[in-house]
Amino acid sequence: MRAARELFAERGFDGTTIREVATRADVDAALVHHYFGTKQQLFVAAMEFPVEIGEVVPAVLGGPREGLGERFVRFVIALWDQPDVRTLLTGVVRSASTDRTAATMVRRMLVEGPLLAIATSIRTPDAQMRAAVAGSHLFGIAMARYVIAVEPIASMTPDELAAVVGPVIERYLVGELGTGPKTGSAG
Amino acid sequence: MRAARELFAERGFDGTTIREVATRADVDAALVHHYFGTKQQLFVAAMEFPVEIGEVVPAVLGGPREGLGERFVRFVIALWDQPDVRTLLTGVVRSASTDRTAATMVRRMLVEGPLLAIATSIRTPDAQMRAAVAGSHLFGIAMARYVIAVEPIASMTPDELAAVVGPVIERYLVGELGTGPKTGSAG
């Protein structure tokens, strides 16, 4: 999975072959086919940040907790912005509203992926809710940026988006949540 | 538009007739047909919070600025939760990814609706960006709650969602935004 992600990132979907992924992972191409199926399926698996979220989470949790959200959002947007990833993501987002499989994929991405892993890192009982809210927010950003083309979201840089959205994702994942209306939350 | 919204809210889509809307608005039914077309179109227009956002914005801006986000989110979720509104909203969200008209509708909802009006209330140069980010967030919540059924978002009450998401919407619309790490963007 790491080899696939690296190669997709370096060369894009079209520029990568299963054989190259296998070579970099030091396994036989047949093995990759066996476990992941087609290149498209491998790509989907790579996009899904599945069980092996080993790369994302340490990169985000490493360093000070403050700025965690920004690092995460910058990473995610930069990843999504890659033309091939973008194409796939757009397809997934598009089909999520009508296709059961794509919907399940998005659901899992939101509540079982790195977001949950990060939220769980603070040992909170509401980790799933935190991940779901943060994930929904990022999903909305993806829709706005890639599918509906809402300005200025569509043309903001990953850094700009990270600066605005990152602190909110951080709050959702590891920060203090609002706990109700009339509590005079100290400034 | 106010009469339509009231009646749709009271009686739902099926329970409302154009004639009743016309009667409450003290105009001829033909006039309503002339300006809004079918009942479906009238409903879409009512959902779109178009130019006449007179009802929402004062209700949200009235009262202390603190809590504005919660009031807004509670209002919006309670509105969306109404079975008929929910049906329409789901349709709009679903078609937004494939249909140009629905996409335009969502885009306008996000950047020309009450969100923009609220963001503009603090006379900020980045009102459109604020509205777009807040709107994308709410759009993601709508997808998660109604279309993809992500738990626990799908089963949280409007109050619970407002408590978690409201402060973030408030931050986006009228609060201080993160201004990024290394760019000393002059405040």
Side-chain angles (χ1 to χ4, degrees):
Chain A
M1 192 55 50
R2 179 176 306 164
R5 246 172 248 149
E6 284 174 8
L7 282 163
F8 284 136
E10 289 167 16
R11 307 178 192 181
F13 182 75
D14 287 334
T16 303
T17 65
I18 292 253
R19 181 187 302 270
E20 287 165 342
V21 172
T23 302
R24 182 167 301 194
D26 207 10
V27 298
D28 194 81
L31 200 72
V32 179
H33 275 299
H34 175 73
Y35 280 109
F36 294 105
T38 64
K39 186 170 80 168
Q40 175 82 17
Q41 288 169 320
L42 176 64
F43 195 26
V44 168
M47 280 298 295
E48 214 180 355
F49 305 106
V51 189
E52 195 193 331
I53 45 185
E55 298 100 278
V56 190
V57 175
V60 169
L61 288 179
R65 172 162 296 175
E66 188 154 340
L68 173 159
E70 261 190 69
R71 293 198 296 280
F72 185 74
V73 172
R74 196 180 302 115
F75 174 89
V76 165
I77 299 288
L79 176 70
W80 288 349
D81 275 358
Q82 293 176 40
D84 296 321
V85 177
R86 182 180 174 142
T87 303
L88 183 72
L89 180 70
T90 308
V92 170
V93 169
R94 282 216 161 107
S95 28
S97 59
T98 50
D99 180 67
R100 208 170 276 263
T101 313
T104 303
M105 189 168 149
V106 171
R107 205 180 296 127
R108 267 198 275 147
M109 228 163 84
L110 298 189
V111 296
E112 298 174 13
L115 292 168
L116 183 62
I118 295 170
T120 305
S121 75
I122 60 160
R123 297 189 199 167
T124 167
D126 53 6
Q128 175 144 353
M129 188 271 280
R130 288 169 175 270
V133 176
S136 301
H137 189 1
L138 292 175
F139 188 79
I141 295 285
M143 280 291 288
R145 186 171 176 89
Y146 306 114
V147 180
I148 311 185
V150 174
E151 288 299 352
I153 292 180
S155 54
M156 285 166 81
T157 67
D159 278 351
E160 286 167 346
L161 269 174
V164 174
V165 176
V168 165
I169 296 300
E170 183 166 326
R171 171 198 180 113
Y172 279 150
L173 292 180
V174 301
E176 204 176 320
L177 299 179
T179 45
K182 288 156 198 164
T183 42
S185 78
Chain B
M1 191 55 50
R2 179 176 304 164
R5 244 172 250 150
E6 284 174 7
L7 281 164
F8 284 135
E10 289 166 19
R11 307 178 191 181
F13 182 75
D14 288 334
T16 303
T17 65
I18 292 253
R19 180 187 302 270
E20 287 165 341
V21 172
T23 302
R24 182 166 301 195
D26 208 11
V27 299
D28 193 81
L31 200 70
V32 179
H33 275 297
H34 176 73
Y35 280 110
F36 294 104
T38 65
K39 186 171 79 167
Q40 176 81 18
Q41 289 170 318
L42 175 63
F43 196 25
V44 169
M47 281 298 295
E48 214 181 356
F49 304 105
V51 189
E52 195 192 329
I53 45 185
E55 296 101 281
V56 190
V57 176
V60 168
L61 288 180
R65 172 162 296 176
E66 188 154 340
L68 173 158
E70 262 190 68
R71 293 197 297 279
F72 185 73
V73 172
R74 195 180 302 114
F75 174 89
V76 165
I77 299 288
L79 176 71
W80 288 350
D81 274 358
Q82 294 177 40
D84 296 322
V85 177
R86 184 181 172 141
T87 304
L88 182 72
L89 180 69
T90 308
V92 169
V93 169
R94 282 215 162 108
S95 30
S97 58
T98 50
D99 181 68
R100 207 171 276 264
T101 312
T104 303
M105 190 169 150
V106 170
R107 205 179 298 126
R108 266 197 277 146
M109 229 165 83
L110 298 188
V111 298
E112 297 176 15
L115 292 168
L116 184 62
I118 294 170
T120 304
S121 75
I122 60 160
R123 296 190 199 168
T124 167
D126 53 7
Q128 174 145 353
M129 189 271 281
R130 289 169 174 270
V133 176
S136 302
H137 190 359
L138 293 174
F139 188 78
I141 295 286
M143 280 290 288
R145 186 172 176 88
Y146 306 114
V147 180
I148 312 187
V150 174
E151 289 298 351
I153 292 179
S155 54
M156 285 167 80
T157 67
D159 278 351
E160 286 167 345
L161 269 174
V164 174
V165 177
V168 165
I169 297 299
E170 183 166 326
R171 171 200 179 109
Y172 279 150
L173 292 180
V174 300
E176 204 175 319
L177 298 179
T179 43
K182 289 154 200 169
T183 41
S185 82

